[in-house]
Amino acid sequence: MIRLDGKEVSLSVRTEIKREAEAFTQAHGYPPGLAVILVGDDPASSVYVRNKEKACVEMGFLSRKYELPADTKQADLLALIDTLNRDPRIHGILVQLPLPKTIDENAVILAIDPDKDVDAFHPANVGRIVEGNYSFVPCTPAGIMEILKYYRIPIAGKRCVIIGRSNIVGKPMALLLLEQDGTVTVCHSKTENLTEITRTADILVVAVGRAKFVNADMVKPGAVVIDVGINRTPDGKVVGDVDYESISLVASAATPVPGGVGPMTITMLMRNTLTAAKRTAERKNQG
Ligand code: NDP
């Protein structure tokens, strides 16, 4: 079985982003800029934000981090987003989710200028993905598409099955595979005869959030298996939604956890920020 190495793909994409970012900075006199807002002190979120900041520095981007206390008022967060929406040096705005329960996540997503919405969660960007006419795609499904492209895995005409229908992974994943002419089925917790369906998949994407949920019995011989899951075991280890060892006997290729889909997500955030910066510059040039 081929190990689909997300670190390798990520390195290749980052090299390209870095080169393009340098060219952008030379041409415009300022770098692409990303603002990341963290509300509260959730340890996992803090790690994600730190890694995003590190990636920005590595890419030569401007990185601004806003760490707000957990009791921040929604109005104050919206005011900060409004300021960043109007800041010409900031091309991407990311509010780290989840937010404290006192803040309406939807209101926050709606407040971000869709042209700076590098997470692609704003309904305007979701609609553009549905239409197939988009600039940003949520980072995790975008990263999965990069892995498939890098390893030249054919999608057109293939049976693609996704387990999970979240707005950040399952649904956009379905649209991207459909756009590439895959024949797509989306499964969820109410799906009947799940194994029967997953065993038809040439490409199986698993985004359930349950450790080792998928085993060899659920996989068609020769299938490509993409594991999105990040689950922590009681001893602190990170495991995926797929039992990698078990499926390695039947699948033709699969992403490991860690080292598969995970490394791609922040890389695609960098790509979206660069795209946002370029689009803003183009609009300015057009007057
Ligand atoms: P959600 O919890 O939002 O969605 C899980 C989905 O799995 C739901 O659609 C749910 O169905 C479905 N599901 C749950 N149980 C079953 C079951 N028994 N049979 C079939 N379907 C089931 O999760 P996310 O999409 O946000 O994340 C999924 C996983 O991916 C998590 O482990 C998360 O940590 C990880 N993740 C990793 C990222 C990365 O960068 N690598 C980024 C984002 C997420 P229903 O809709 O009916 O409830």
Side-chain angles (χ1 to χ4, degrees):
M1 185 182 76
I2 299 167
R3 184 174 179 274
L4 303 174
D5 186 341
K7 280 194 193 152
E8 184 181 319
V9 185
S10 177
L11 187 68
S12 147
V13 177
R14 282 192 188 204
T15 305
E16 185 190 309
I17 296 172
K18 207 170 158 180
R19 194 169 34 76
E20 287 185 35
E22 262 169 33
F24 179 94
T25 307
Q26 275 198 350
H28 301 283
Y30 58 86
L34 176 69
V36 179
I37 305 174
L38 175 65
V39 186
D41 50 12
D42 176 63
S45 293
S46 301
V47 172
Y48 291 139
V49 167
R50 213 173 314 132
N51 287 340
K52 286 166 187 174
E53 214 183 354
K54 257 169 58 184
C56 276
V57 173
E58 187 194 326
M59 295 301 104
F61 291 4
L62 165 71
S63 163
R64 277 211 222 129
K65 183 165 82 174
Y66 297 85
E67 289 177 294
L68 310 179
D71 61 358
T72 297
K73 291 200 171 57
Q74 181 168 317
D76 293 337
L77 176 57
L78 295 180
L80 171 59
I81 292 171
D82 184 48
T83 305
L84 295 170
N85 278 343
R86 286 183 282 109
D87 186 332
R89 289 294 167 264
I90 293 298
H91 308 103
I93 303 170
L94 182 141
V95 179
Q96 186 66 44
L97 301 179
L99 287 166
K101 291 194 170 37
T102 47
I103 297 178
D104 175 4
E105 231 165 69
N106 243 349
V108 171
I109 289 170
L110 280 172
I112 298 171
D113 178 347
D115 289 331
K116 297 190 177 188
D117 169 39
V118 282
D119 254 342
F121 293 163
H122 192 289
N125 287 320
V126 175
R128 285 171 193 154
I129 298 167
V130 174
E131 283 182 340
N133 173 28
Y134 51 81
S135 300
F136 312 126
V137 172
C139 301
T140 301
I144 293 170
M145 295 308 284
E146 277 304 320
I147 292 176
L148 295 175
K149 189 169 133 199
Y150 184 87
Y151 284 97
R152 297 172 203 268
I153 291 164
I155 300 169
K158 299 296 175 194
R159 185 85 200 239
C160 307
V161 175
I162 300 157
I163 319 180
R165 57 174 164 182
S166 69
N167 288 340
I168 63 166
V169 187
K171 285 182 196 165
M173 193 68 238
L175 291 166
L176 294 179
L177 290 167
L178 183 62
E179 195 194 13
Q180 298 287 314
D181 299 325
T183 301
V184 180
T185 303
V186 182
C187 303
H188 45 79
S189 67
K190 308 290 186 296
T191 298
E192 293 178 358
N193 305 323
L194 180 67
T195 297
E196 223 170 79
I197 300 170
T198 60
R199 284 183 65 89
T200 66
D202 300 307
I203 298 174
L204 177 63
V205 179
V206 190
V208 179
R210 291 182 178 212
K212 300 192 178 182
F213 181 80
V214 166
N215 58 33
D217 292 343
M218 299 172 77
V219 175
K220 174 178 162 178
V224 173
V225 181
I226 304 291
D227 186 354
V228 184
I230 300 177
N231 308 287
R232 275 193 193 277
T233 61
D235 57 355
K237 261 177 63 183
V238 173
V239 296
D241 289 350
V242 174
D243 185 340
Y244 190 82
E245 276 199 5
S246 158
I247 64 120
S248 68
L249 302 172
V250 278
S252 63
T255 56
V257 174
V261 174
M264 293 304 296
T265 299
I266 293 183
T267 297
M268 299 321 285
L269 173 69
M270 298 299 114
R271 157 85 62 80
N272 282 349
T273 303
L274 176 64
T275 303
K278 284 183 180 172
R279 290 185 69 226
T280 310
E282 271 166 29
R283 273 198 305 272
K284 220 162 67 184
N285 280 347
Q286 283 158 7

